Amino acid sequence: MKKTKFTTLGIICFLLFLLLFNFIPQNQKSSLKHTPDPKSQESSQESQSPQESQNLSQNNADLIQKNIDFIRQNLESLKENNQTQSLTSNESNLTQEQFLDFNATQGEIAQIPTQESPQMQESSQNLQETLQSPQEDLSPDFSHNQMPQTSSQIPSQTFFNCQRHKPQLAIIIDDISTLEQLKKIQKIPLKLTPSIFPLSKATPSAKQIAEATPFFMIHLPLEAIKFYQKGYDWLLVSDSKEKIKEKVAKVKRDFPNLTYLNNHTGSKFTQNYKAMSYLLDALNQHQITFVDSKTIHTSKTASYFENNPTASLNPCQKPPFLVRDIFLDNELNVFKITQALLQSIKIAKLQGYAIAIGHPHKETILALMNAREYLEKSGVEVVYVNELIVP
């Protein structure tokens, strides 16, 4: 009886095993039957038919050839994309605010920081991506123009009868009040135009600063809507014509070689037509070209010259005054300043020249130092303000 039960149980187990085996996938069945070691697998691969190996090799060769043909067909477009990738990728990040006139309540307070911005280190790490070397070829026969050693000289002969060979970019550094600031920007191997505060209690070394640079401008404080700095000699809207005329004459006496001047602040003064008329009359009399910093979009500079046609003091600059195109350091962030530099290059290429204004902030100096090689290879020539050719 017990033997019968064991026999029946064995038959049931055998039937269950057969049933289970029929449900196992074919590939698993083969693995159950035989699990080859690595050596047998290699020999199995090597034993594939010559026809299969030949077909596989042919398919791979066809795929590689298709990739080569695709690269050849698209080589030119890939080159063009590579040339413009650095500039366009950064231009896409620019905000519309960099195209607008400088807001008086923001831009007129230009304090020199005493410590580094907490964002400076992080921003500097992004510069390698922003400042990819452009692939643009420079003219092989172009020679770098040399700047006259005195600011009173006009570079008409230097520029081959006022013919531009490249788009030009003038970078003005405002708010220069110490020799230390001047030395810092002179370490940057670019033609940066220092704009120096006139002689006053706040800037007693202004004359020494002017003598230490081949070219300079004066940064004349004009009355602002909501800003004032003690120690500076301001021109006010309420000043009489004679008072403004005398202040300009004093500036010229202090700086006999002065030929260019721009305004420090001035959101209130420059939008007052009467006050600007007095100032521009005096500047014309002393042969000083006005560069409008455009601290407010309602500046009356253009209106004055429309009503008072005036010959330019520089034969290479057709308009009798110049206007700032972009501020570099509205935000004290190295990466943002670099983006503004890229935008100034774009403006220069569009209109033939551009005027950018920055300040002697640590972030601005670092951004300019890091960007010097890019600027040199960008196809745009960095020049002093009086070297600009403005048709």
Side-chain angles (χ1 to χ4, degrees):
M1 186 70 179
K2 290 180 180 180
K3 185 175 182 181
T4 305
K5 287 182 179 181
F6 281 118
T7 303
T8 304
L9 183 61
I11 293 171
I12 293 172
C13 291
F14 180 74
L15 292 174
L16 288 173
F17 176 79
L18 290 177
L19 181 64
L20 178 63
F21 186 80
N22 287 332
F23 280 98
I24 296 176
Q26 189 64 30
N27 58 348
Q28 293 186 14
K29 290 180 182 179
S30 61
S31 64
L32 289 172
K33 292 179 181 178
H34 176 65
T35 304
D37 56 35
K39 292 183 179 180
S40 63
Q41 288 181 353
E42 292 176 2
S43 61
S44 174
Q45 292 174 359
E46 291 175 356
S47 63
Q48 290 179 346
S49 66
Q51 183 62 35
E52 291 179 353
S53 300
Q54 184 177 0
N55 292 339
L56 181 60
S57 300
Q58 184 62 41
N59 290 337
N60 290 337
D62 292 342
L63 182 60
I64 293 171
Q65 186 61 44
K66 288 180 181 179
N67 289 333
I68 293 173
D69 293 340
F70 176 80
I71 292 173
R72 286 176 177 173
Q73 293 171 2
N74 294 274
L75 184 60
E76 293 303 319
S77 61
L78 288 173
K79 286 182 179 179
E80 293 176 2
N81 289 337
N82 186 51
Q83 290 175 355
T84 58
Q85 181 179 5
S86 175
L87 184 59
T88 55
S89 63
N90 289 289
E91 288 168 0
S92 63
N93 294 327
L94 296 171
T95 63
Q96 188 177 3
E97 293 174 358
Q98 291 173 309
F99 289 91
L100 301 177
D101 292 321
F102 196 50
N103 184 280
T105 59
Q106 293 177 333
E108 292 182 337
I109 304 177
Q111 301 290 342
I112 299 172
T114 57
Q115 58 184 358
E116 293 186 2
S117 166
Q119 299 173 329
M120 186 184 299
Q121 185 176 1
E122 179 182 354
S123 300
S124 299
Q125 294 174 354
N126 297 327
L127 288 178
Q128 294 303 320
E129 296 179 3
T130 305
L131 295 176
Q132 294 177 2
S133 180
Q135 304 297 316
E136 188 171 348
D137 292 331
L138 304 181
S139 302
D141 57 346
F142 179 83
S143 60
H144 193 66
N145 295 312
Q146 297 298 318
M147 173 62 198
Q149 293 303 307
T150 61
S151 61
S152 60
Q153 290 180 272
I154 296 176
S156 57
Q157 297 302 320
T158 305
F159 285 94
F160 308 100
N161 297 321
C162 302
Q163 294 297 316
R164 248 194 329 253
H165 292 265
K166 291 181 184 179
Q168 295 176 311
L169 174 62
I171 301 175
I172 301 171
I173 305 298
D174 279 351
D175 294 359
I176 300 298
S177 58
T178 66
L179 280 168
E180 182 181 1
Q181 290 173 341
L182 179 68
K183 289 177 182 178
K184 286 182 179 179
I185 68 171
Q186 285 181 333
K187 290 180 181 179
I188 304 172
L190 295 169
K191 287 186 175 182
L192 304 177
T193 300
S195 191
I196 307 167
F197 281 121
L199 195 62
S200 67
K201 292 181 180 180
T203 54
S205 59
K207 289 184 179 181
Q208 289 79 7
I209 298 171
E211 292 171 357
T213 180
F215 178 72
F216 69 95
M217 294 171 54
I218 287 297
H219 196 43
L220 188 65
L222 303 181
E223 186 177 4
I225 296 174
K226 296 180 180 179
F227 181 70
Y228 182 80
Q229 289 169 301
K230 294 182 179 179
Y232 294 88
D233 193 9
W234 293 84
L235 287 184
L236 307 176
V237 170
S238 59
D239 288 343
S240 66
K241 182 176 183 179
E242 289 303 317
K243 189 172 183 178
I244 292 176
K245 183 177 179 181
E246 176 53 35
K247 285 188 177 182
V248 172
K250 181 183 182 303
V251 170
K252 184 66 174 180
R253 289 195 300 270
D254 292 338
F255 306 93
N257 292 330
L258 176 64
T259 55
Y260 285 77
L261 175 150
N262 73 327
N263 54 295
H264 172 62
T265 70
S267 57
K268 184 175 181 179
F269 192 99
T270 57
Q271 67 174 333
N272 185 292
Y273 184 84
K274 183 178 180 181
M276 282 300 292
S277 297
Y278 295 161
L279 173 62
L280 294 172
D281 281 343
L283 292 177
N284 290 338
Q285 182 179 350
H286 290 282
Q287 296 188 322
I288 300 172
T289 297
F290 182 64
V291 181
D292 194 338
S293 299
K294 209 70 179 291
T295 56
I296 195 166
H297 71 281
T298 53
S299 170
K300 302 300 180 183
T301 304
S303 299
Y304 168 84
F305 285 106
E306 288 175 2
N307 297 328
N308 300 273
T310 306
S312 175
L313 298 171
N314 186 332
C316 290
Q317 297 171 0
K318 185 176 180 180
F321 72 102
L322 301 175
V323 181
R324 181 269 311 165
D325 293 294
I326 192 168
F327 276 103
L328 297 177
D329 45 16
N330 286 354
E331 297 182 57
L332 292 182
N333 177 289
V334 176
F335 188 67
K336 294 290 186 181
I337 295 168
T338 303
Q339 286 184 309
L341 274 170
L342 295 175
Q343 182 61 30
S344 68
I345 292 173
K346 179 181 178 182
I347 294 172
K349 289 182 176 181
L350 288 174
Q351 69 179 18
Y353 73 97
I355 298 175
I357 292 181
H359 302 83
H361 300 307
K362 293 179 181 179
E363 293 86 351
T364 307
I365 292 171
L366 179 58
L368 289 170
M369 181 65 77
N370 289 336
R372 67 192 186 280
E373 291 185 6
Y374 181 90
L375 287 166
E376 290 170 357
K377 298 176 182 178
S378 66
V380 171
E381 183 187 14
V382 179
V383 298
Y384 292 117
V385 166
N386 71 332
E387 291 181 313
L388 285 174
I389 297 173
V390 184

